[in-house]
Amino acid sequence: MVNYLVYAFDYPKSYYAEFILRYEKVLHLLEKEEELKSKYRIVKPKKLELEECEIVHDKDYLGKLKENLKKDGKIKEGIISDLLGASGTVYACELALKEGSIAYHLGGGFHHAFRDRKGGFDYLNDIAIAVEWLREKHNVRKIAVIDLDVHHANGTQEIFYDDPGVLQISFHGWGIFPGTGDVKEIGEKDGEGYKINLPLLSGTTDDTYLWAMERIIPKYIQLYKPDFIIYQSGVDCMVKDPLGNLKLTLEGVYARDEKIKKLAKGYRLAVIRGGGYNNDYSPKANLNTLACFSNHPIVYKYGKKVSEPGRCRKWAERKIEELERLLSKYW
């Protein structure tokens, strides 16, 4: 089966250095791996109109963004880039749904944007838009969002906080932006128990992270039985990422992705690139993700042992115990 690599090629060139450079490095690395490249069909998404994002975002907020599109400068470029990102995520989800293949979007993961305001770098929440697109356009009822970016998915959480139709699982570094995502944040009203957060201590490495995944993610995916899974596969959880505080290696990220691939067997799955801000390691980790989801061996290895403070495992154990106690009322 040929999988899909979705990429919007029309990003503003002056926006290149901040984000697009790392996207295109992945494409350059892929060119060197002929066998891996043969397993993917590279496709360009149809661009959404800003008005179509009203499926999630408030009309007044989108009106303000539209006014900024008439101006020059960084804000305009950011909105254009986010709109292309939303287009790619929606298209990847549609391909995964219709074709039964895994679709990887080289872009997106803008999980900090809220219905009515910008969050972090993000003007539009492409994941929330894709969720509502699947529900409204394709009658998909139950969607799981597994978000393993190092930053808590605060925007996505707020948008669906009272919604049992979206199971959100977020693993993230504690003590960094945006400062949310405590285990006590489990949703409200009908959505109570459907928001699962595991904050991890600064310095957490492969062993503790992968152990924690096994304790939490398969259990709740199996209990929830989603109709579709969106996986935000951010690699800013890696060692030496300038905006992260966890220390996963290239091997650890590949093993993380293997666990998601295994638990998603039998489900429709779209993989979204998410964060990753190291110009060397992030593209290599992204290529490893492509390798993992096409059953190809790991391409790039970190090859060095990373030490973990002893407090990290103890912290994770305490947080998981607390989380399980809170969730036991609902599952």
Side-chain angles (χ1 to χ4, degrees), residues 118-138:
K118 177 179 181 285
F121 296 127
D122 308 338
Y123 293 93
L124 298 170
N125 192 312
D126 61 304
I127 291 174
I129 291 166
V131 166
E132 293 295 15
W133 197 276
L134 287 169
R135 298 205 291 191
E136 292 195 17
K137 308 284 186 182
H138 300 286

Side-chain angles (χ1 to χ4, degrees), residues 122-250:
D122 308 338
Y123 293 93
L124 298 170
N125 192 312
D126 61 304
I127 291 174
I129 291 166
V131 166
E132 293 295 15
W133 197 276
L134 287 169
R135 298 205 291 191
E136 292 195 17
K137 308 284 186 182
H138 300 286
N139 202 33
V140 178
R141 303 325 306 158
K142 294 169 68 179
I143 298 170
V145 178
I146 303 172
D147 193 315
L148 302 186
D149 190 286
V150 77
H151 302 102
H152 177 236
N154 59 328
T156 312
Q157 177 175 285
E158 181 177 299
I159 290 168
F160 298 116
Y161 205 53
D162 61 355
D163 190 339
V166 180
L167 173 70
Q168 181 179 331
I169 301 174
S170 178
F171 279 34
H172 42 271
W174 190 242
I176 59 172
F177 179 86
T180 53
D182 187 70
V183 293
K184 295 182 179 69
E185 297 170 29
I186 59 171
E188 65 183 9
K189 301 178 182 176
D190 291 343
E192 209 169 301
Y194 292 92
K195 305 300 169 274
I196 299 173
N197 288 292
L198 184 66
L200 295 166
L201 207 58
S202 177
T204 298
T205 61
D206 296 347
D207 288 347
T208 293
Y209 193 100
L210 297 170
W211 168 82
M213 285 183 71
E214 283 294 331
R215 288 285 304 273
I216 296 295
I217 301 178
K219 174 181 177 178
Y220 292 100
I221 291 295
Q222 289 162 13
L223 287 170
Y224 188 64
K225 295 181 174 60
D227 301 313
F228 195 97
I229 297 174
I230 298 175
Y231 171 37
Q232 208 272 33
S233 64
V235 298
D236 44 7
C237 55
M238 279 191 59
V239 63
K240 295 188 177 180
D241 192 279
L243 298 185
N245 67 345
L246 303 183
K247 291 186 177 180
L248 273 68
T249 64
L250 286 163

Side-chain angles (χ1 to χ4, degrees), residues 20 33 44 76 81 93 98 101 172 212 237 264 274 299 314:
I20 315 310
E33 303 293 332
K44 181 179 176 180
K76 175 183 177 180
S81 295
C93 288
K98 294 176 181 177
S101 301
H172 42 271
C237 55
V299 179
K314 293 176 182 176

Side-chain angles (χ1 to χ4, degrees), residues 25-40:
K25 274 192 172 184
V26 179
L27 297 179
H28 295 321
L29 292 174
L30 185 60
E31 287 294 329
K32 301 174 184 178
E33 303 293 332
E34 291 185 13
E35 183 183 347
L36 177 56
K37 186 182 177 184
S38 70
K39 297 179 180 181
Y40 283 91

Side-chain angles (χ1 to χ4, degrees), residues 45-64:
K46 176 179 178 280
K47 186 179 177 182
L48 295 174
E49 298 297 329
L50 194 59
E51 289 77 10
E52 292 179 279
C53 299
E54 203 173 313
I55 201 168
V56 164
H57 292 288
D58 289 353
K59 189 173 183 178
D60 289 346
Y61 173 61
L62 292 177
K64 293 174 184 176

Side-chain angles (χ1 to χ4, degrees), residues 4-19:
Y4 290 91
L5 193 166
V6 179
Y7 183 64
F9 287 87
D10 302 324
Y11 289 102
K13 289 301 178 187
S14 52
Y15 206 61
Y16 185 83
E18 288 190 68
F19 297 100

